[in-house]
Amino acid sequence: MGGALGRAARSRETGDGISMATTVEDRVAAKVLQSYLGDKWQAGEGRGAALVNPTTGETVASASSQGLDLKAAFEYSRNVGGQALRKLTYAQRAELLGKIADALAGPREQWFEIARKNSGNTKADAAIDVDGSIGTLKYFAKIGAKLGDAHMLRDGGPMRLAKDPNFQGLHVGVPLDGVAVHINAFNFPAWGLWEKAAVSLLAGVPVFSKPATSTSWLAQEMVSAVIEAGILPEGALSILCGSPNDLLDHLRLGDVIAFTGSADTGERIRGHEHIGKQNIRVNLEADSLNSALLGPEAQPGSAEFNFFVREVVREMTSKTGQKCTAIRRVLVPASVATAATDAIAAALSKVVVGDPANAITNMGPVVNMPQRKTVEEGIARLKTQAAVAYAPENFAPLDADPARGAFVPPTLLKVKDSRQADVIHDVEVFGPVATVLPYATQDEAFALARRGGGSLAASVFSGDQAFLAEAAAALGTTHGRLMLIDASIGDSHPGHGIVLPSCMHGGPGRAGGGEELGGLHGLWFYHQRVAMQGSTGTLSKLAEQAADPRAE
Ligand code: NAP
């Protein structure tokens, strides 16, 4: 799987903490990222792992977590941060989220600059990450305020449980008294941090964030800005920069892990002996082979056909294809497969790949050289069952040295035989790569989409609403989100790959089986749901004190 390739690449990168393109001079000049633990900035031992500018290969920072006392940091978060947060009401905590959003909105250009230097993001890519995080914080500030001065949630109202009508039951959510460990992937250092933190802080659970080391600079600077602004109570927000070390060994009852990353790492976390024994609650957001499906009736030149082509190209190139939700499998009716492939290829040929500092660049590099190698290896695996339908000839990135930059050209493949191909449904190539799979019948199209083994998102493009309804039923069990696009919303939807805070994010099976966001529903992960049983009077009182997240 793609994750396995990713792990091999990472060990090459950080085996001695030095990336392949790094020089000693770069590393000496680079910023050392400290961790914020127990309300103190702390540096790990040694220089640790190098963070690079993927356009040039220069080292821009380094991070080490070696020797940091994570056990003590967790205790501080639980005892100081958790207690202070839980004294506040939901509405007060929502207000803090609004202040965080404001503090982050000011230096927005600075975040874009870091995203360019450490992630190779164009401005448009950085906006998805940075503005996505500010928007998510604002959203939770707004809907959290509606929970008012409560300290608990309720799920419905009291219900009669026995012959005696006075004996009743009520489901109540009590905020957890542990720490929320948020482990994030490299591709969204800002959004990954804040979409989790927003929900956790609103619930009253302190955040311990562990960004992916390779792009942790942005996360660290953002946390630093929020700490400096003095918005949160002490201990409410911590960040660990560098490898996770013994992080999982110190978790206990009341703590939770929200993980985003590859399926392989997710499996290791879930299978960790201590986590299993302690039954620590784990939410996994893992990798996913998402698809876009063009309806059987869509003809070249129709609105749905054009929207479909545009979306595939956008998903392949936005953030250089490094989105967990990106379209990897492109399902088209066999009768229009050539036309669809040609249209996608024509649009890809106009994409300018190069240094994101140049305003005409549409697509930057992938995150680093090891990741470039992983993507190239992934393409080679796809090529065992698919032919290249588009890749630029004599590829040369704009304003960049191809030997030092982590550039991969947009690459479209087309399977030789959709029924036989299996590697396409198994290998996640985390880059600007997608594969066209022609289908003969509607049932075959649904079966192909389901072969991703559980995906985060699929988009179906059709002008036939009966077909869209059938797709919803057929794909619902294997997907976390379905976009059903007819021409009336072709221009107004935010994009196949965009995660909205009001909608649930996550997917079954390979995608991890997790659920994040989904408006106030997301709060339940950070609460213990308790079945309270008592007299009518006692439970009515409890019900009055608890907020109903489903109330308007
Ligand atoms: P990764 O290699 O799995 O790493 C993810 C995070 O896990 C990093 O912070 C990493 O820290 C940490 N980690 C690694 N080993 C660990 C361990 N034994 N215990 C605790 N933490 C550990 O993934 P990635 O390469 O950063 O991200 C790309 C993958 O993420 C892709 O497969 C993509 O599909 C997936 N993704 C999924 C979603 C989603 O919402 N479903 C969103 C974005 C990305 P270090 O960096 O220090 O190793």
Side-chain angles (χ1 to χ4, degrees):
M1 297 202 313
L5 287 167
R7 196 175 49 196
R10 174 162 289 96
S11 66
R12 274 196 304 280
E13 181 194 8
T14 57
D16 64 357
I18 298 174
S19 96
M20 294 186 291
T22 297
T23 65
V24 173
E25 295 74 32
D26 286 343
R27 284 167 59 73
V28 171
K31 179 182 172 72
V32 176
L33 298 184
Q34 298 199 359
S35 297
Y36 193 70
L37 307 171
D39 263 318
K40 281 195 293 284
W41 287 106
Q42 305 182 33
E45 294 159 8
R47 289 199 60 100
L51 283 69
V52 299
N53 179 337
T55 303
T56 60
E58 287 164 279
T59 295
V60 291
S62 67
S64 165
S65 55
Q66 219 49 52
L68 297 176
D69 187 347
L70 302 187
K71 188 166 186 267
F74 287 144
E75 282 306 322
Y76 190 86
S77 297
R78 291 181 195 115
N79 297 337
V80 180
Q83 293 205 21
L85 279 173
R86 286 194 305 280
K87 280 194 187 125
L88 304 175
T89 65
Y90 290 104
Q92 287 171 323
R93 296 192 293 255
E95 206 181 319
L96 299 181
L97 298 183
K99 289 183 179 164
I100 295 175
D102 291 342
L104 295 177
R108 191 168 160 267
E109 290 298 323
Q110 185 185 324
W111 311 142
F112 283 16
E113 190 64 4
I114 297 174
R116 179 177 67 77
K117 285 188 179 153
N118 187 204
S119 295
N121 280 187
T122 61
K123 264 204 163 178
D125 292 340
I128 300 175
D129 195 20
V130 171
D131 294 346
S133 49
I134 295 168
T136 301
L137 283 157
K138 282 188 177 162
Y139 173 80
F140 279 100
K142 188 166 158 223
I143 61 167
K146 293 184 187 158
L147 298 175
D149 59 3
H151 291 270
M152 283 188 289
L153 299 179
R154 75 183 154 86
D155 185 5
M159 55 195 166
R160 181 173 162 180
L161 295 180
K163 208 167 172 190
D164 176 2
N166 191 32
F167 181 60
Q168 301 239 336
L170 174 72
H171 285 107
V172 165
V174 183
L176 297 175
D177 60 2
V179 58
V181 175
H182 295 163
I183 303 174
N184 284 313
F186 74 78
N187 56 332
F188 281 109
W191 177 80
L193 162 63
W194 297 111
E195 59 96 15
K196 288 185 173 70
V199 185
S200 184
L201 292 171
L202 181 60
V205 182
V207 169
F208 185 101
S209 190
K210 156 71 186 95
T213 303
S214 55
T215 56
S216 49
W217 183 14
L218 178 56
Q220 199 255 14
E221 292 281 353
M222 285 180 134
V223 165
S224 173
V226 171
I227 299 293
E228 249 175 55
I231 297 164
L232 289 168
E234 280 185 16
L237 180 61
S238 308
I239 185 166
L240 177 69
C241 296
S243 67
N245 291 339
D246 57 350
L247 178 150
L248 301 177
D249 298 338
H250 303 300
L251 300 185
R252 59 124 167 105
L253 175 68
D255 299 336
V256 294
I257 301 173
F259 167 81
T260 298
S262 64
D264 277 4
T265 310
E267 231 173 271
R268 266 182 289 146
I269 290 175
R270 205 177 250 156
H272 186 272
E273 196 184 347
H274 176 72
I275 299 301
K277 268 198 187 145
Q278 298 290 315
N279 257 323
I280 302 293
R281 198 178 286 179
V282 182
N283 190 75
L284 290 191
E285 298 293 345
D287 61 35
S288 174
L289 287 152
N290 314 291
S291 48
L293 197 173
L294 181 64
E297 88 301 339
Q299 290 302 312
S302 67
E304 282 80 14
F305 184 95
N306 293 341
F307 285 130
F308 173 83
V309 168
R310 188 183 71 182
E311 201 56 25
V312 170
V313 173
R314 175 157 67 174
E315 284 296 309
M316 284 178 71
T317 53
S318 159
K319 282 188 80 57
T320 318
Q322 298 169 109
K323 291 207 309 294
C324 55
T325 46
I327 295 167
R328 308 287 176 202
R329 300 175 301 144
V330 182
L331 312 180
V332 293
S335 57
V336 300
T338 303
T341 307
D342 289 350
I344 296 167
L348 289 175
S349 69
K350 299 194 181 101
V351 173
V352 179
V353 183
D355 183 348
N358 190 323
I360 69 160
T361 293
N362 308 117
M363 192 178 97
V366 296
V367 73
N368 52 30
M369 280 300 209
Q371 194 61 25
R372 169 178 154 183
K373 189 156 191 294
T374 302
V375 171
E376 288 166 351
E377 285 167 2
I379 294 172
R381 288 181 70 186
L382 297 183
K383 274 163 73 175
T384 59
Q385 295 181 347
V388 175
Y390 173 77
E393 274 171 37
N394 307 320
F395 171 66
L398 179 71
D399 294 347
D401 176 355
R404 284 181 67 83
F407 292 94
V408 181
T411 306
L412 184 70
L413 298 114
K414 189 173 172 192
V415 290
K416 293 164 188 158
D417 179 349
S418 293
R419 273 162 299 187
Q420 298 300 322
D422 50 18
V423 73
I424 278 74
H425 307 290
D426 187 33
V427 176
E428 183 203 41
V429 182
F430 208 58
V433 183
T435 306
V436 176
L437 294 110
Y439 69 82
T441 64
Q442 173 177 320
D443 285 349
E444 191 186 347
F446 296 155
L448 287 170
R450 292 165 62 94
R451 282 185 66 188
S455 306
L456 293 169
S459 289
V460 188
F461 292 74
S462 172
D464 176 353
Q465 292 190 333
F467 173 75
L468 290 175
E470 280 186 57
L475 306 185
T477 55
T478 49
H479 289 79
R481 179 164 62 83
L482 292 172
M483 280 219 315
L484 308 169
I485 306 291
D486 60 30
S488 69
I489 52 166
D491 264 329
S492 54
H493 70 82
H496 161 99
I498 298 298
V499 175
L500 297 172
S502 49
C503 285
M504 192 269 289
H505 172 59
R510 175 183 180 141
E515 282 190 11
E516 275 184 342
L517 301 170
L520 294 175
H521 180 80
L523 287 174
W524 287 106
F525 181 67
Y526 298 99
H527 286 73
Q528 178 59 37
R529 200 157 168 271
V530 190
M532 300 286 187
Q533 299 176 338
S535 70
T536 312
T538 305
L539 292 194
S540 302
K541 191 115 201 98
L542 254 185
E544 263 170 42
Q545 288 171 0
D548 181 355
R550 282 180 295 186
E552 279 299 302

